[in-house]
Amino acid sequence: MSKKKTVLSCIQPTGQMHFGNYFGAVKNWVDLQADHDCFYGIVDYHAMTMPYNPDKLRQNVWDLAFNLLAVGINKESLFIQSLIPEHTELGWIFNCFCSYGHLSRMTQFKDKSKQSKETDSEGFISAGLFDYPVLQAADILIYRADYVPVGKDQDQHLELSRAIAQRFNNGVGKDYFVLPETLHTISPKIMSTADPSRKMSKSAGEKHYINVFADEARIIKQIKSAVTDTGDNPGDGKMSPGIENLFVIIKASGNMEAHDALMTDYTNGALKYVDLKEAASAELVKLSATFKANKEELLANKKEIKNQIKYSSSEIRKRAQETLREVKELCGLLNVKL
Ligand code: TRP
């Protein structure tokens, strides 16, 4: 029997979880748990790289932890980055195996620092923002992850992680780190219901995303008012983006029967938008009801669940400590207990 492959991914503790996040990323994480050794981190150290509010950060970390459990992430897989200080320690070591030039080419840094310049009155750009991909490499390599399920926007960071691993291996003369691979699972991209030409996202405003824990009435209302035909429909028998989005939602929810029946109507020119919308909102309402029930149960045992999350972080920490011990040995640092 072959050993299970290790999967790692992380998410920043910001705001709420919407169906775009769920179908586009988190659902895939949940599914991967069936046959992989999974690690999923809430990366609060990363969330400090841009201006932030300390109380809100702590609140967001716990909110996200409960949200992830409610949608199906296992407790044993979940950790909170700052509870495992070995990440930052390995991050420092990796700083010394990463070239300044490589970091300067990261487009996320360029984009975010430009954004900071525009939105922050002081134009403050932290060194942490620049160094962020090195900490990300530590997050990944400390568990010797084989696969990292992330979106295309993280390709450059993953490539940097591999470059660090390779330089480390060369530097210490041993193939110690496995080079992690990006796992680009084809996951459905959910568009904004208010403007189906753009991705569902929080940054565009309330109308543009549906929280997975939203009230039933709100979900129904939002799908009811979803844009279907826009002025600039593609024509030549092509489906308009708003209609496609509703089909994608139904398919992503797993109700192929409803999807196929409506698609047949569409092909025959007999599709009623109201039916399509009803089917899409029924799926989201059903999913959301399960998530809300799970979350309610978790929140009823809030203290106990928080303890379990701390416990799983401490168990996962053991793996991180083992790697760090070996890394220190390999790169000439002392490994003595004080
Ligand atoms: N950079 C990722 C993002 O912005 C978050 C992240 C931090 C991450 N560490 C990671 C993703 C390790 C995958 C693996 O979404």
Side-chain angles (χ1 to χ4, degrees), residues 8-10 12 43 46 108 132 136 139-140 148 150 154:
L8 173 134
S9 198
C10 298
Q12 288 206 42
V43 287
H46 280 94
Q108 195 178 65
Y132 165 121
Q136 178 165 355
D139 298 336
I140 298 168
V148 185
V150 278
Q154 295 297 316

Side-chain angles (χ1 to χ4, degrees), residues 224-261:
K224 211 177 237 170
S225 58
V227 172
T228 43
D229 280 323
T230 46
D232 48 357
N233 277 334
D236 344 311
K238 274 216 199 94
M239 201 181 263
S240 81
I243 293 169
E244 192 179 341
N245 195 33
L246 294 167
F247 273 112
V248 170
I249 288 173
I250 298 168
K251 191 169 172 184
S253 307
N255 191 345
M256 288 316 289
E257 212 177 303
H259 174 275
D260 294 350

Side-chain angles (χ1 to χ4, degrees), residues 30-95:
V30 171
D31 295 343
L32 284 164
Q33 294 177 135
D35 42 14
H36 297 82
D37 196 11
C38 295
F39 295 87
Y40 297 125
I42 299 179
V43 287
D44 43 0
Y45 279 138
H46 280 94
M48 296 171 68
T49 56
M50 297 282 275
Y52 75 100
N53 172 310
D55 289 332
K56 209 163 158 202
L57 175 59
R58 203 172 355 248
Q59 189 55 49
N60 282 347
V61 166
W62 285 122
D63 280 353
L64 180 57
F66 280 81
N67 290 349
L68 288 170
L69 296 181
V71 304
I73 297 292
N74 298 331
K75 281 188 212 88
E76 302 68 38
S77 296
L78 187 66
F79 70 86
I80 295 169
Q81 188 186 34
S82 65
L83 296 180
I84 309 183
E86 287 73 18
H87 284 239
T88 38
E89 201 173 340
L90 184 62
W92 176 261
I93 295 174
F94 281 171
N95 271 323

